[in-house]
Structure formats: C-alpha cells, structure tokens
C-alpha cells in the first residue's frame, strides 16, 4: 500500500492480486465530523481526475476518518464569515460562497458520472455535503451506525448538493417529507428509499478491503470503446462481493417505510400551507420519530420550507446538470439575503438555538417572495456550471 496525504484528505492506493489498484480517499477532519471544506473538495476533485485516467486503478473508495461520521455536512463556519463580510452587497459579491458551491457541486456531478465504480462507506453520520458525495456513487454502503439526513431547514438553507434531484426520486412523498423535516433515517430506510445499496456491519471495513484486494480486476484497455465493457465487469464483481458480505439491518423496517402511507396522505397536493399544517399536527403522534420531524419543521426556517417545496416542484423533470445549476443560484441567493447566515449563527456560532427567521412565518414566505432565489445575478453564460454535463 502506497500513501500520499494532505492533512484534510488521505489518499491511498491499495495493491490488488493482479497488479491492479484500489484508490481510497479518506476525509480526515474527524473533530468536525469530516465536514467538507473547499480545500477538501479541491483535493478530491484533483485526485479523482488522476484516478479516472489511471488504467491500473479499478475502483475508488471513499470513507471518513474516525468512528462518528462519513461526512456530516459542509464547512459552515467559513461560509458564515463570507456572508457576514458581504452584508448589503449584491449576491455575486460573495465570491467565496459562489466558488464553494460551484466546486462542491461540480465534484458531486463528477461522482455521478465517473467512469469507474465508486464505493462510499457511509458509516456514521451522512448529512448535507456528505449526502452530496454519497448519492452519486455507484455502490453505496450503510452500516448499523449510519444516520442520514438533509437537515438544511434547521440552518435556513435547502437540500442542495443535488439533494432536490435525489429527493424527487424517493418513494411517493417521502422526499418532500425528508426535505421539510430534516428527519434522520437509518440503514433500513436508506435501503428502502434507494439512498443506499448494501448494508454491512460497522466493523466490516477491514473485511471489505481484504476482499476487494483479492478480486481479479481487469485493466482498462486503451480503446475507448471497450471502457464500458470493463466498467460493467467491475460493477458485476462489486455487486457479487457486496451481496455476499451484506447483511440485513436491524430493524429491517425503519420509520420512513413504516409510515409511508401516512406520509403519502399528509404530503400530497400542491398546497404547502396544508402540507406543513399536516406535518405539524404530528407533534402529538405516539411515534417519537414523527414527533421530532414535526418539531424540527416547526423550529425551522419558513423561507427554507417554501424554497425546498418550490425547488422540488421546478426540478422534478430537470436533468442532473440543470438541477445543480438551479441549486447554485438558489444557494448563492441564500448566502445573500436568506436565513442561511442567521441559521448558522444560532446553531454553530452563538449557539443560542434561537434563530430570528425572516420571513418569520409561512404566510409571508409566499410564492412571490421565493422567486428571487431563482433569478440569476448575471447572464446565463457566466454561470460557473454553465457547461456542466456537456462532455458527459
């Protein structure tokens, strides 16, 4: 095993039985639950391109350092400072936020379209930016400690990093419910909803790597027309191996699946006010999971609820690249005149957990109010993700 490291991301190349290699990327900021920073994004993006072109590199594997999280979100503190430094200025003035979102989304898109299999070891907390890294991987593993969520409503943002694309593809109205409530789900529900592919025990990492090392991977041929054939072979090898190593999560049926019919009933229709009212009524439900979901929505940003709902409507039939372009504009606008800075302040800076949302209620967060989050601050050709998807 050879290793090249930078403080925030560790990269390893693991030798396999027949001269092939596995590329392992480890997010290495466990004290901040491996929250994704701009530096980490750039290191990952650069190494991914090296591995994409390496004919001896068969599979990419991503994991998080420590025992608590794969990746619990993004670098919110630096984003907060960029927002406070640009108060009162046009949205485009916050070049850091624009760059952060653009490069993070470009990396996430690259994972979705990567020419080689990507395995994500989704152990522990997988939220926000972590979901962005995981959702596009070809082989997504959860364990008995996995805790997944898109909890952006608690900080005045929305389910970004392609989250609206993912939530629109979950069963029934579960995507809308998860987006509005930030509800946490475990391994069973992740498998049920299609957010993960396999469940392995928490302590199976070494077994996984040892098993991957013994596989007979195929060298990527020089002829481009044969790359797809090699990819299919490697996907088949991985699927067979992971199926053999996988186990059923405990419990086998999670809260999301258990309450599917109820969620479908209360989240149907196009009236957000009614949907929110239905969810808030769950605060007295006998199931603590539903109670917590209702209380999170009640304490969350009304503007985020409106923005999330509208984004899910408008991106329902959009391509993946177009979703990222729409989300980038909405994210930049959130950094300019949304509740984003106030949400981070209340949760992570002052930690008073008493955000002053503006608008303060859903009545004022009208369909007209939300339009500003979809208005580009410049010409379309100047969008940093303007060409995203053209070479895919």
């Amino acid at each position: 095993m050879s290793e090249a490291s930078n403080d925030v991301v560790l990269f390893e190349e693991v030798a396999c039985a027949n001269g092939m290699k596995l590329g392992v990327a480890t997010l290495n900021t466990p004290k901040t639950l491996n929250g994704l920073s701009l530096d980490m994004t750039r290191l990952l993006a650069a190494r991914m391109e090296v591995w994409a072109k390496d004919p001896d590199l068969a599979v990419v594997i991503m994991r998080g350092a420590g025992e608590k999280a794969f990746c619990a979100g993004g670098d919110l503190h630096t984003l907060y400072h960029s927002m406070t430094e640009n108060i009162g200025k046009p949205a485009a003035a916050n070049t850091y936020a624009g760059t952060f979102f653009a490069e993070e989304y470009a990396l996430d898109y690259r994972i979705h379209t990567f020419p080689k299999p990507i395995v994500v070891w989704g152990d522990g907390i997988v939220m926000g930016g972590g979901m962005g890294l995981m959702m596009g991987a070809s082989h997504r593993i959860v364990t008995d400690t996995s805790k997944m969520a898109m909890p952006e409503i608690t900080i005045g943002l929305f389910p970004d990093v392609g989250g609206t694309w993912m939530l629109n593809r979950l069963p029934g109205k579960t995507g809308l419910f998860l987006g509005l409530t930030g509800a946490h789900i475990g391994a069973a529900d992740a498998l049920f909803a299609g957010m993960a592919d396999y469940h392995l025990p928490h302590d199976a990492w070494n077994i996984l790597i040892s098993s991957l090392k013994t596989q007979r991977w195929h060298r990527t041929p020089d002829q481009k027309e044969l790359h797809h054939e090699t990819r299919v072979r490697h996907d088949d090898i991985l699927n067979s191996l992971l199926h053999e190593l996988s186990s059923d999560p405990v419990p086998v049926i999670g809260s999301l699946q258990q309450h599917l019919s109820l969620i479908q009933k209360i989240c149907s229709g196009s009236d957000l006010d009614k949907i929110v009212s239905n969810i808030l009524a769950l605060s007295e439900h006998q199931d603590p999971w539903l109670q917590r979901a209702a209380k999170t929505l009640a304490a969350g940003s009304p503007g985020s609820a409106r923005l999330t709902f509208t984004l899910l409507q408008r991106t329902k039939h959009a391509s993946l690249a177009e979703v990222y372009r729409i989300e980038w504009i909405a994210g930049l606008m959130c950094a300019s005149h949304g509740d984003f800075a106030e949400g981070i302040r209340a949760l992570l800076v002052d930690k008073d957990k008493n955000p002053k949302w503006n608008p303060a209620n859903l009545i004022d967060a009208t369909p007209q109010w939300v339009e500003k989050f979809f208005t580009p601050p410049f010409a379309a050709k100047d969008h940093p993700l303007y060409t995203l998807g053209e070479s895919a």
Side-chain angles (χ1 to χ4, degrees):
M1 178 183 294
S2 63
E3 178 176 312
S5 69
N6 185 290
D7 286 341
V8 294
V9 186
L10 303 178
F11 298 106
E12 302 168 272
E13 294 187 352
V14 181
C16 296
N18 58 340
M20 296 292 287
K21 300 177 293 185
L22 310 171
V24 182
T26 303
L27 309 183
N28 190 39
T29 56
K31 290 184 179 179
T32 56
L33 302 179
N34 301 316
L36 194 65
S37 66
L38 184 56
D39 284 345
M40 295 167 75
T41 295
R42 287 173 172 173
L43 288 166
L44 285 167
R47 183 54 67 99
M48 293 285 283
E49 293 313 308
V50 172
W51 282 342
K53 296 177 176 65
D54 187 343
D56 298 323
L57 199 292
V59 178
V60 173
I61 308 166
M62 299 177 66
R63 67 178 302 205
E67 295 293 316
K68 295 182 178 180
F70 164 58
C71 175
D75 179 12
L76 297 179
H77 284 91
T78 307
L79 276 170
Y80 175 76
H81 290 307
S82 77
M83 288 185 275
T84 57
E85 290 170 358
N86 287 278
I87 293 175
K89 298 179 182 178
N94 191 339
T95 55
Y96 177 83
T99 300
F100 179 88
F101 288 132
E103 295 194 25
E104 182 184 20
Y105 296 0
L107 172 62
D108 293 336
Y109 184 83
R110 183 58 167 149
I111 291 172
H112 276 273
T113 58
F114 201 67
K116 299 179 180 182
I118 298 178
V119 177
V120 167
W121 179 253
D123 188 51
I125 300 171
V126 186
M127 297 183 184
M131 287 297 305
L133 295 174
M134 185 170 179
M135 74 175 72
S138 59
H139 297 76
R140 303 160 299 174
I141 299 170
V142 285
T143 75
D144 31 295
T145 69
S146 295
K147 182 184 294 185
M148 306 175 74
M150 296 297 286
E152 287 79 6
I153 194 164
T154 63
I155 55 168
L157 191 58
F158 62 91
D160 69 327
V161 295
T164 56
W165 185 89
M166 176 192 71
L167 294 177
N168 265 328
R169 284 156 178 77
L170 302 190
K173 295 296 182 179
T174 56
L176 175 60
F177 181 82
L178 293 177
L180 291 175
T181 65
H184 296 182
I185 64 171
D189 277 329
L191 293 168
F192 160 71
M195 297 163 67
D197 305 299
Y198 297 95
H199 171 267
L200 271 66
H202 167 70
D203 58 1
W205 168 257
N206 290 331
I207 296 173
L208 172 64
I209 294 298
S210 296
S211 300
L212 289 171
K213 287 168 63 176
T214 64
Q215 302 304 307
R216 303 294 296 181
W217 305 107
H218 303 270
R219 190 176 190 274
T220 304
D222 294 332
Q223 300 93 332
K224 289 184 178 180
E225 63 270 15
L226 296 180
H227 285 187
H228 177 70
E229 180 182 340
T230 305
R231 170 63 189 267
V232 171
R233 288 180 179 178
H234 287 180
D235 281 340
D236 288 344
I237 291 172
L238 274 169
N239 289 330
S240 178
L241 172 62
L242 291 173
H243 179 75
E244 181 180 336
L245 295 177
S246 67
S247 59
D248 289 331
V250 178
V252 176
I253 298 178
S255 298
L256 187 71
Q257 183 177 2
Q258 179 185 343
H259 296 295
L260 179 63
S261 60
L262 173 62
I263 291 171
Q264 188 69 18
K265 179 180 178 180
I266 66 175
C267 292
S268 293
S270 57
D271 187 341
L272 177 60
D273 297 87
K274 184 176 181 181
I275 292 170
V276 167
S277 178
N278 290 340
I279 296 175
L280 294 181
L282 299 176
S283 61
E284 302 299 325
H285 198 279
Q286 62 182 6
D287 189 326
W289 184 78
L290 289 174
Q291 289 181 23
R292 180 179 178 183
K295 292 174 181 177
T296 301
L297 173 57
S301 162
S304 287
R306 174 65 68 186
L307 179 55
T308 297
F309 181 75
T310 307
L311 276 163
L312 287 173
Q313 287 184 315
R314 296 194 184 185
T315 62
K316 186 173 183 178
H317 302 294
S319 69
L320 179 61
E322 186 60 26
V323 167
Y324 281 118
R325 282 191 282 270
I326 294 170
E327 286 187 357
W328 183 86
I329 294 169
L332 189 63
M333 294 302 166
C334 283
S336 175
H337 48 60
D339 281 334
F340 195 18
E342 174 62 8
I344 297 174
R345 179 207 64 77
L347 184 67
L348 299 176
V349 180
D350 297 336
K351 300 182 180 180
D352 57 29
K353 296 185 178 180
N354 185 32
K356 306 299 181 184
W357 302 125
N358 181 26
N361 53 65
L362 195 58
I363 295 175
D364 294 330
T366 65
Q368 294 73 35
W369 170 87
V370 83
E371 284 302 318
K372 60 188 174 185
F373 293 91
F374 296 89
T375 305
F378 37 61
K381 64 180 178 58
D382 294 324
H383 194 304
L385 303 178
Y386 178 66
T387 60
L388 194 68
E390 289 190 356
S391 61

